[in-house]
Amino acid sequence: MSELLRTFFAREGGARDFISTAAGGATDGEVCTMARRVASRLGAATSPGERVALFVSPGPTFLAAFFGALAAGRVVVVLSPLHPAPETTFFCEDAGVRTVLASRALLDMTAPIAAGREVLVIEDVCEAPTDEAPADGAPAELDAPPDTPALQLYTSGTTGRPKGAVITHGNLAVQQRLVAEAWGFTRDDTLLHALPLHHMHGLAIALLTAVGAGARVRMLDFTGRSFDAARVWDEMRDATVLMAVPSMYHRLFAAFDAADSGTRARWAAAARSLRLATSGSAALPVTLAERWRELTGKIPLERFGMTEIGVGITNPLDGPRVPGHVGLPLPTVEARVVDDEGRDAASGELWIRGPSVFAGYHARPEETARAFAADPDGGAPWFRTGDTVTRNPDAGAHAPYRILGRTSVDILKSGGYKLSALEIEEALREHPAVGEVAVVGVPDEAWGDRVVACVLTREPVSAEALREHTRARLAPYKIPKDFIFMDDLPRNPVGKVVKPALVAKLRGG
Ligand code: MLC
Ligand code: AMP
């Protein structure tokens, strides 16, 4: 049995609450029983290694679908109702998905991908009696070696369309263990979960860590609705751990500042009652970190992670947390900082290796090869994160890492989502009025990068028309916040657009 599955099925038969949502909850035993039904159904309907898409709302059935698919030896592709049909179709085609598990409430949204695929309603599958589980209670394919693919998560890159990062059982199990140990997770914890599940943070760093530790999960689903900061403050009281992206902390403080003094006192007490609040997926502005310290006595525990590696570097649970810094690599994570020639340096690109590094991009051998660098001493290759980092060379081995930004101007982070400027440009170029376009990220307190499209037009067009054009093609969080019409773009002597100069111009007003 793979370690990942063992940690989940260890809850078999348990009567304790496992996961709860506004719509209801389920106990340990109930979730495991549902997962077995999913495994049994998929075992009959699909073949080992096949990609199975999950179009399932956060809650007990999501966990059942996820672990049921893994127990059947299938690989999970998580879809989100946030994506318009062209993106969802692309993910399914790229991954070769033939079977979709969908919540009844989301069935309408599966219409664009239903042709040629079987759509199973997760509630029906979870209710059907299990008749194929072996007598010892374990689905037959539970015995997955660590390098067995478990999850294919789509992540934006520097090449236009997103790539499917293949993450193995071993990757997820080691992550689950390392993060739980580093952050002191136990079965007495209750994780307050308000993150989307189609990305590493919400799915693995938050949900699977809690699952592995035997903890409880309180799940808030804001998909398709705005993040409800007041609700999150109110729910902190009954939780022990909150994990969030910096934009969520921004929203929390905006709501806090707008609240009356009684509400503020209640929310401050709720925040203090948490044993841990973490931040990741983007840089936490020091101002937000300090505000959390004013309220609770501690800044949030900031850590660095990626779809391809999970959490790589983290501040300590108990030791000093330095604002603006992400701490030190987790045990088993090896990190190097290298200059342009691949030599060790105090500042430069961060390279990572170890058992939590993913297996490669699905059906993209060249991009996988480009993502890794050979080891100068002939050891295992290093994953090139594409992040520029620095450490104080005088502070020795314990100098915390500080993330300075991305090595590519074409990778943006907005509200914790990684976006490809090139993907957004490609979508915009499909509009007949668009001649040339440059998409950039302008630093912004609320979003991290505020996505701005600078457009040279062939014919008159409104910003609204371009917004609607993009909305039909890309998730709402990829749509530029501003469309700026220009006569020309800053260029170098060979005519190439110089994006840093464009950002400087936009920042200058
Ligand atoms: C929503 N919008 C965004 C956006 N989120 N625009 C840019 N960037 C975003 N992140 C759009 C909405 O579609 C809407 O557009 C408008 O902005 C206002 O939306 P909102 O209702 O105010 O936003 P909300 O839905 O409340 O979302 C904000 C958020 C959300 C911060 C809660 O973005 C979020 O959940 N972010 C988490 C991302 C995440 O999980 N990343 C992890 C990646 S893994 P319109 O046009 O409809 O008005 C990773 C590894 C690691 O990075 O280390 O963790
Ligand atoms: P994703 O591909 O969505 O998993 O995003 C991974 C990227 O998020 C990293 O490569 C970083 O650029 C960014 N990131 C994650 N955590 C942090 C952090 N604490 N500070 C700054 N950037 C971060």
Side-chain angles (χ1 to χ4, degrees):
M1 188 189 290
S2 88
E3 185 186 336
L4 178 66
L5 288 164
R6 213 170 36 232
T7 60
F8 174 77
F9 283 108
R11 295 175 182 248
E12 192 106 65
R16 230 170 67 121
D17 287 342
F18 184 165
I19 180 164
S20 70
T21 68
T27 63
D28 289 345
E30 286 164 347
V31 179
C32 290
T33 300
M34 292 193 291
R36 286 194 181 283
R37 289 175 178 154
V38 174
S40 159
R41 181 63 195 266
L42 289 179
T46 60
S47 38
E50 204 176 302
R51 271 58 177 162
V52 171
L54 266 54
F55 219 137
V56 181
S57 302
T61 51
F62 182 92
L63 273 179
F66 184 84
F67 281 98
L70 297 196
R74 284 27 171 188
V75 182
V76 168
V77 177
V78 183
L79 303 177
S80 166
L82 291 173
H83 292 117
E87 278 192 306
T88 301
T89 308
F90 167 76
F91 298 142
C92 288
E93 281 173 358
D94 187 75
V97 166
R98 291 195 297 123
T99 305
V100 182
L101 291 170
S103 295
R104 185 168 284 112
L106 300 177
L107 265 186
D108 284 357
M109 304 197 69
T110 63
I113 49 166
R117 296 189 179 91
E118 187 175 16
V119 179
L120 303 171
V121 178
I122 188 68
E123 289 86 353
D124 295 344
V125 177
C126 285
E127 274 166 24
T130 314
D131 49 10
E132 289 171 30
D136 66 358
E141 278 86 6
L142 272 179
D143 197 11
D147 60 356
T148 308
L151 177 63
Q152 191 160 312
L153 275 185
Y154 279 82
T155 178
S156 292
T158 45
T159 48
R161 309 264 16 211
K163 302 167 284 190
V166 178
I167 297 155
T168 65
H169 279 247
N171 295 151
L172 292 174
V174 76
Q175 265 296 304
Q176 220 180 19
R177 198 165 7 96
L178 291 179
V179 174
E181 279 170 17
W183 298 350
F185 255 85
T186 71
R187 68 194 300 274
D188 294 330
D189 276 310
T190 300
L191 171 70
L192 180 54
H193 193 301
L195 290 153
L197 290 174
H198 63 299
H199 281 291
M200 192 65 169
H201 194 166
L203 180 54
I205 299 170
L207 186 60
L208 296 187
T209 299
V211 168
R216 298 186 189 91
V217 182
R218 173 68 179 157
M219 197 120 218
L220 305 180
D221 179 11
F222 298 133
T223 319
R225 279 177 290 150
S226 284
F227 177 76
D228 184 346
R231 180 82 192 283
V232 173
W233 281 116
D234 283 336
E235 296 259 0
M236 282 180 206
R237 220 184 25 229
D238 301 318
T240 61
V241 180
L242 170 73
M243 296 191 197
V245 299
S247 294
M248 291 177 172
Y249 283 100
H250 188 267
R251 300 283 179 96
L252 286 171
F253 282 112
F256 190 87
D257 292 341
D260 59 50
S261 60
T263 306
R264 283 195 217 175
R266 191 161 43 83
W267 286 351
R272 275 196 297 276
S273 75
L274 292 171
R275 80 166 180 83
L276 173 67
T278 72
S279 177
S281 302
L284 179 66
V286 172
T287 45
L288 291 177
E290 291 299 346
R291 287 214 64 187
W292 191 259
R293 193 204 309 263
E294 277 166 32
L295 221 55
T296 67
K298 273 187 183 171
I299 63 171
L301 185 155
E302 186 171 5
R303 57 38 174 208
F304 166 87
M306 286 187 84
T307 301
E308 291 88 340
I309 65 167
V311 172
I313 301 180
T314 180
N315 270 292
L317 179 64
D318 295 319
R321 299 175 191 167
V322 189
H325 292 69
V326 292
L328 291 167
L330 284 168
T332 81
V333 173
E334 286 181 80
R336 283 183 69 198
V337 184
V338 296
D339 64 16
D340 291 346
E341 313 294 326
R343 289 174 305 220
D344 290 313
S347 300
E349 190 182 7
L350 174 68
W351 288 5
I352 295 278
R353 73 178 176 191
S356 43
V357 175
F358 78 135
Y361 299 111
H362 174 70
R364 302 260 206 314
E366 285 98 18
E367 287 181 44
T368 302
R370 268 203 302 278
F372 287 88
D375 182 63
D377 301 324
W382 295 85
F383 173 65
R384 308 163 59 120
T385 62
D387 286 289
T388 305
V389 303
T390 189
R391 298 178 78 193
N392 178 352
D394 303 325
H398 296 293
Y401 286 72
R402 181 184 164 92
I403 313 291
L404 298 177
R406 298 288 309 181
T407 55
S408 164
V409 282
D410 289 320
I411 296 290
L412 315 177
K413 264 276 163 159
S414 172
Y417 286 117
K418 186 197 239 184
L419 310 180
S420 160
L422 305 181
E423 183 186 12
I424 302 168
E425 288 166 4
E426 266 173 36
L428 275 164
R429 262 189 231 107
E430 285 170 24
H431 193 287
V434 172
E436 223 177 315
V437 56
V439 167
V440 291
V442 179
D444 180 274
E445 175 89 3
W447 294 113
D449 282 320
R450 181 179 178 88
V451 179
V452 177
C454 299
V455 187
L456 309 189
T457 55
R458 289 183 216 279
E459 56 193 69
V461 64
S462 67
E464 205 35 51
L466 293 183
R467 189 167 290 121
E468 287 317 307
H469 167 90
T470 325
R471 193 183 294 282
R473 288 161 175 77
L474 300 175
Y477 51 80
K478 298 181 181 176
I479 299 169
K481 293 277 175 256
D482 304 305
F483 292 88
I484 299 184
F485 298 101
M486 294 185 159
D487 296 329
D488 201 2
L489 298 162
R491 296 175 197 278
N492 67 12
V494 293
K496 191 171 177 291
V497 175
V498 184
K499 287 193 172 178
L502 187 54
V503 174
K505 188 171 166 174
L506 295 170
R507 290 184 82 173

